[in-house]
Amino acid sequence: AQRVTQPEKLLSVFKGAPVELKCNYSYSGSPELFWYVQYSRQRLQLLLRHISRESIKGFTADLNKGETSFHLKKPFAQEEDSAMYYCALSGLRGTSYGKLTFGQGTILTVHP
Amino acid sequence: EPEVTQTPSHQVTQMGQEVILRCVPISNHLYFYWYRQILGQKVEFLVSFYNNEISEKSEIFDDQFSVERPDGSNFTLKIRSTKLEDSAMYFCASSVSSGIGTSGTDTQYFGPGTRLTVL
């Protein structure tokens, strides 16, 4: 079974502070990990994926297979980063190809 | 930029009634998905659809649910006899491919959702 855990429901930081949103996963095969973001009154959209190894809006995430984690980090948070963040997993070349399993989400609030 | 659209944005129905939720995926996409999110809970996968048939479905997707691509543009989710516990936000998503045979899962683009309230 595949499972994604985001231990923090709410996270508050001040503008300019570093932020880390935690994500742990459980999957028996080779997973592909994603971060999706939902800004206020907008749709879910892909922020980044581990395969791309890119930085989007200053965010990065590294897949740590030993710790089964995919934490999202940004060194200097901005007010416009305030949103709901979802970590998600898909099976790579497995039977759950395409199916996304989501964590429960973390609401990030960046205070001025 | 093309987007996935969903109608209606909010549907209120009586328990036991049938509802049809509609989605228009991005035009060159071939894979379609439905997810739902009960208030305060996770986004959950319901079903994936490709080449006019279901590719995968979850345990939630029982006989009360069905999906259809009635024409070249719409993708619908039908709930035959709604229950109170079907109240949720339903999201449609589409992707160009599922990623099989490539280096990774293809990006899924989500619609804005339909909020279904069953009374």
Side-chain angles (χ1 to χ4, degrees):
Chain A
Q2 51 197 70
R3 189 165 62 244
V4 176
T5 303
Q6 293 178 249
E8 303 135 332
K9 217 167 180 171
L10 301 167
L11 186 61
S12 282
V13 299
F14 286 99
K15 178 182 167 182
V19 64
E20 182 180 52
L21 291 89
K22 291 185 167 38
C23 171
N24 288 91
Y25 68 89
S26 170
Y27 185 67
S28 55
S30 291
E32 186 170 1
L33 275 297
F34 307 82
W35 277 98
Y36 277 81
V37 61
Q38 188 171 29
Y39 300 103
S40 179
R41 297 190 197 89
Q42 293 187 30
R43 63 189 66 203
L44 266 169
Q45 55 186 282
L46 180 66
L47 180 62
L48 54 77
R49 53 202 293 173
H50 90 269
I51 274 185
S52 308
R53 301 188 66 81
E54 55 193 346
S55 171
I56 305 290
K57 299 185 180 183
F59 285 98
T60 58
D62 289 316
L63 180 61
N64 185 325
K65 290 186 179 178
E67 295 182 1
T68 59
S69 68
F70 187 58
H71 302 326
L72 183 68
K73 299 176 187 177
K74 185 168 181 176
F76 307 104
Q78 302 300 314
E79 287 177 70
E80 55 266 28
D81 296 328
S82 296
M84 173 75 99
Y85 290 80
Y86 294 97
C87 183
L89 174 156
S90 176
L92 195 59
R93 296 195 180 87
T95 57
S96 299
Y97 220 83
K99 163 189 167 182
L100 291 171
T101 297
F102 285 86
Q104 58 266 53
T106 298
I107 299 172
L108 173 65
T109 304
V110 181
H111 299 285
Chain B
E1 190 177 321
E3 289 184 328
V4 176
T5 59
Q6 289 185 244
T7 53
S9 57
H10 192 186
Q11 171 97 46
V12 181
T13 189
Q14 296 289 328
M15 191 169 59
Q17 296 296 303
E18 174 184 286
V19 293
I20 297 176
L21 309 183
R22 291 185 165 78
C23 168
V24 179
I26 294 172
S27 63
N28 65 330
H29 286 189
L30 301 176
Y31 288 79
F32 314 113
Y33 310 85
W34 282 102
Y35 294 83
R36 79 169 186 193
Q37 186 176 31
I38 295 170
L39 190 63
Q41 297 186 26
K42 297 184 180 190
V43 176
E44 302 172 288
F45 169 81
L46 291 177
V47 67
S48 59
F49 190 86
Y50 168 70
N51 200 25
N52 275 320
E53 57 184 38
I54 290 172
S55 309
E56 187 175 2
K57 60 184 182 178
S58 71
E59 319 79 67
I60 303 166
F61 195 88
D62 61 23
D63 292 342
Q64 292 299 312
F65 291 88
S66 61
V67 287
E68 197 179 26
R69 189 149 160 84
D71 52 42
S73 57
N74 287 284
F75 178 51
T76 61
L77 174 70
K78 184 195 288 187
I79 309 175
R80 223 178 314 276
S81 176
T82 50
K83 306 188 205 61
L84 295 176
E85 53 265 37
D86 293 327
S87 294
M89 182 74 97
Y90 288 80
F91 295 103
C92 173
S94 69
S95 61
V96 173
S97 75
S98 72
I100 291 175
T102 68
S103 59
T105 303
D106 205 9
T107 299
Q108 292 180 28
Y109 293 84
F110 282 78
T114 293
R115 180 165 296 287
L116 176 65
T117 302
V118 182
L119 302 175

